[in-house]
Amino acid sequence: MKEKAWFEENENRIPVGEVRTRFAPSPTGYMHVGNLRTALYTYLIARHDGGKFILRIEDTDRGRLIEGATDVIYRTMAECHLEHDEGPDVGGPVAPYIQSERMSMYKEYAELLVENGNAYRCFCEKAESEEDSGEFDRGDDPCRTLTKEESDVRAAAGEPYVIRQLIPHEGTTTFHDEIFGDITVENKTLDDQVLIKRDGMPTYNFANVVDDHLMGITHVVRGSEYLSSAPKYNLLYQGFGWDIPKYVHCSPVMRDAHNKMSKRHGDPSYEDLIAQGYLTNAVINYVALLGWSPGGEREIYSLDELKEIFDIKGISKSPAIFDIEKLRYFNAEYIRALSPEEFAKAAEPFIRQAVKNPAIDPAAIAVLLQQRTEVLTDIPEKLDFFDSLPEYSAELFVHQKSKSTPETAKSVLEQILPMFGELSEWNDERILDAMNRLTEAMGVKKSVVMWPIRIAAAGKAVTPGGAVEICRILGKEETMRRLEIGLEKLS
């Protein structure tokens, strides 16, 4: 075991006097909604109190690692504007911030617990699942009663062992959670969890405690599924003589009243939601309200506003149900709040899925869509008529509310074609002026003229934008070609 000075040096590096939170994901391929919420709450706690937000990569479970997954974490954090103050890519006073690069210290701290009587070496041959989970009857484990001297001799002889936490047989352990309050458990219900496996690798539970202490973490935010492990964490902190951080256990995000969200069951990750046409800021706003309430009726908050108002007391004990329709509502609100330039940029890739003609400006189409779009993936199906006129029936020209009949439609197209042909400029003003002149000449309502022109130009009853905008975007030549096709259908 290391000398006392080594442990003291580690202690001296720990930052003090500030709120310090950490997001500690495993690189397993994607950022699910629950993980994103944990990252967000962790970030908001730090920012609200002017503290530090730390990113730590927990990669000790080598069997679950997926190549490129760490890049997904960095990219998601950056897109969501959850900037970390310390982490693998930016460094910091308690580096390294990748668990696999800290491997040399965990065994030393486990041996320190053995030295002070809060852990023991277990030489029993147990199945790997038992070793990982601690599922065994400790009352029958002869290694609990080995003297330190006996244990040292067997270890020195090269006999393989795990290091287990020594949980007291009697009494209770009480821990405090910021959401659930004080929770007391009987020690006899706790197992002697494995801290260090036979191969020298730390278990998740042990590495977490050591890293959180050595990084000066003041608030530990995690899912409520870890409530059952919290008493053992407390006993570890007490065994080392360390201060216990504030626990913030968040109830799960559910697909419905009975089932947690799960990638295996097709529930969306953050990346899936973005691919499905949701805006990052809308996702962040909605996720913040999954199990937390600022109070009052207001729902739309920017990230900067969330930093100001976020309070742990607003986190609910009850599970939160992920409602995709509610997220859709949030997204529509965010889309409408974008500037025209911002929306055009966000919408362009989706516009180009349907409108491949380079002569058509996607920004011109975006103007028609912004107030009619809830998610960006709605866009392509609204625009298929721009590249090519779809097949349609002459029955579309008949519209009772617009007072459009086959006869009036035929008359409108016959008269508007030469008027369009005479236009030297092709813009909204000139196109509308031609339509208004025809309306006046025919002595009809404007809709009688507008309806058949839009139907002939688009071949669809429902379109983003009206006749004027569609004709302008299509251009004079293509508009007149389509109107002639419409006239043929009516002849």
Side-chain angles (χ1 to χ4, degrees):
M1 196 176 77
K2 295 283 189 183
E3 296 294 326
K4 183 180 178 182
W6 182 81
F7 293 101
E8 290 177 347
E9 184 181 337
N10 288 340
E11 292 292 315
N12 291 335
R13 292 173 61 204
I14 300 172
V16 295
E18 62 183 2
V19 167
R20 290 174 63 80
T21 68
R22 51 76 168 165
F23 177 51
S26 297
T28 54
Y30 64 96
M31 182 83 78
H32 61 72
V33 170
N35 248 5
L36 178 59
R37 186 186 65 170
T38 299
L40 178 60
Y41 287 2
T42 306
Y43 171 83
L44 292 175
I45 290 169
R47 290 292 176 261
H48 180 74
D49 291 320
K52 295 291 196 305
F53 174 56
I54 292 111
L55 175 64
R56 184 172 77 223
I57 304 297
E58 300 198 337
D59 61 345
T60 52
D61 189 350
R62 310 306 288 181
R64 296 179 62 227
L65 301 188
I66 294 177
E67 187 175 352
T70 303
D71 293 333
V72 172
I73 294 167
Y74 288 137
R75 183 169 64 250
T76 302
M77 300 281 281
E79 286 180 13
C80 294
H81 315 294
L82 305 180
E83 299 91 0
H84 48 281
D85 303 292
E86 302 171 25
D89 53 338
V90 296
V94 288
Y97 293 90
I98 298 178
Q99 228 167 39
S100 60
E101 296 176 10
R102 302 171 63 83
M103 293 303 298
S104 60
M105 64 175 59
Y106 302 119
K107 181 80 177 294
E108 300 295 338
Y109 278 95
E111 292 288 357
L112 181 61
L113 283 178
V114 172
E115 190 71 27
N116 64 28
N118 288 288
Y120 63 96
R121 301 187 189 96
C122 179
F123 300 92
C124 303
E125 290 191 15
K126 294 181 173 65
E128 186 71 22
S129 61
E130 292 178 305
E131 185 173 302
D132 284 346
S133 66
E135 293 174 0
F136 72 108
D137 183 353
R138 65 179 179 212
D140 294 335
D141 193 326
C143 299
R144 273 182 65 96
T145 56
L146 286 176
T147 66
K148 177 69 167 50
E149 291 72 21
E150 290 171 321
S151 177
D152 287 346
V153 168
R154 292 177 68 172
E159 197 172 336
Y161 61 87
V162 301
I163 296 179
R164 293 188 183 276
Q165 184 176 5
L166 184 64
I167 303 286
H169 275 301
E170 308 298 332
T172 61
T173 295
T174 299
F175 68 94
H176 179 78
D177 180 79
E178 298 298 306
I179 313 304
F180 291 88
D182 288 338
I183 298 176
T184 299
V185 300
E186 294 186 46
N187 289 334
K188 66 183 181 183
T189 65
L190 305 176
D191 59 80
D192 287 3
Q193 67 177 344
V194 173
L195 307 180
I196 300 292
K197 303 179 193 179
R198 285 174 180 260
D199 59 5
M201 291 284 283
T203 57
Y204 167 84
N205 288 328
F206 183 59
N208 235 273
V209 168
V210 172
D211 287 343
D212 283 345
H213 172 71
L214 294 180
M215 292 184 176
I217 302 305
T218 59
H219 296 67
V220 173
V221 183
R222 56 182 168 233
S224 58
E225 64 269 24
Y226 291 104
L227 274 170
S228 60
S229 299
K232 292 182 282 190
Y233 296 149
N234 259 37
L235 290 170
L236 283 174
Y237 280 107
Q238 291 168 7
F240 282 119
W242 294 341
D243 291 338
I244 297 170
K246 290 184 177 181
Y247 297 135
V248 183
H249 287 90
C250 301
S251 293
V253 178
M254 309 288 284
R255 180 193 329 141
D256 52 44
H258 306 290
N259 299 288
K260 278 187 180 184
M261 288 189 75
S262 165
K263 183 74 170 176
R264 288 193 302 275
H265 292 104
D267 295 317
S269 66
Y270 165 77
E271 286 191 317
D272 292 333
L273 291 172
I274 300 307
Q276 290 166 15
Y278 293 90
L279 301 179
T280 293
N281 289 342
V283 173
I284 287 290
N285 190 160
Y286 178 64
V287 167
L289 300 179
L290 281 175
W292 172 79
S293 172
E297 298 297 315
R298 183 180 168 190
E299 294 182 306
I300 304 298
Y301 293 94
S302 69
L303 187 58
D304 284 339
E305 289 172 327
L306 289 171
K307 289 184 218 174
E308 290 294 320
I309 65 172
F310 191 81
D311 189 334
I312 293 171
K313 293 184 179 69
I315 299 176
S316 172
K317 295 179 184 178
S318 303
I321 295 179
F322 182 85
D323 182 350
I324 196 70
E325 288 304 316
K326 184 70 171 179
L327 175 57
R328 192 178 179 95
Y329 157 76
F330 271 78
N331 205 63
E333 292 293 310
Y334 271 85
I335 281 176
R336 291 181 192 116
L338 293 174
S339 70
E341 294 77 19
E342 289 170 331
F343 178 72
K345 183 178 179 181
E348 182 171 356
F350 298 89
I351 293 171
R352 281 300 182 209
Q353 286 178 27
V355 184
K356 309 251 189 307
N357 184 349
I360 294 178
D361 179 10
I365 296 177
V367 173
L368 310 181
L369 295 167
Q370 187 164 2
Q371 300 305 314
R372 298 175 173 89
T373 301
E374 292 184 337
V375 293
L376 297 174
T377 44
D378 288 346
I379 289 174
E381 66 183 11
K382 299 175 188 283
L383 306 176
D384 54 358
F385 66 89
F386 276 107
D387 265 9
S388 61
L389 183 67
E391 283 295 325
Y392 68 97
S393 166
E395 291 175 5
L396 278 186
F397 287 107
V398 179
H399 194 258
Q400 189 173 0
K401 188 176 179 182
S402 298
K403 303 285 194 287
S404 179
T405 66
E407 292 74 27
T408 59
K410 182 171 183 288
S411 178
V412 166
L413 296 184
E414 285 175 337
Q415 294 181 69
I416 200 68
L417 275 164
M419 294 174 74
F420 277 175
E422 292 169 359
L423 295 181
S424 58
E425 294 180 67
W426 191 254
N427 54 43
D428 285 1
E429 185 180 353
R430 294 283 185 258
I431 296 167
L432 179 59
D433 177 62
M435 292 180 184
N436 286 339
R437 283 188 281 117
L438 179 57
T439 299
E440 190 175 335
M442 292 180 68
V444 295
K445 288 187 174 181
K446 190 179 289 187
S447 60
V448 175
V449 170
M450 295 285 195
W451 181 267
I453 293 175
R454 186 172 65 82
I455 293 299
K460 297 181 77 167
V462 179
T463 59
V468 174
E469 296 95 339
I470 291 171
C471 290
R472 186 242 308 152
I473 292 169
L474 286 172
K476 180 178 177 179
E477 183 179 337
E478 178 64 11
T479 296
M480 294 184 68
R481 185 185 76 82
R482 293 186 180 197
L483 265 54
E484 286 168 353
I485 292 172
L487 189 54
E488 287 175 14
K489 288 180 182 287
L490 290 163
S491 297

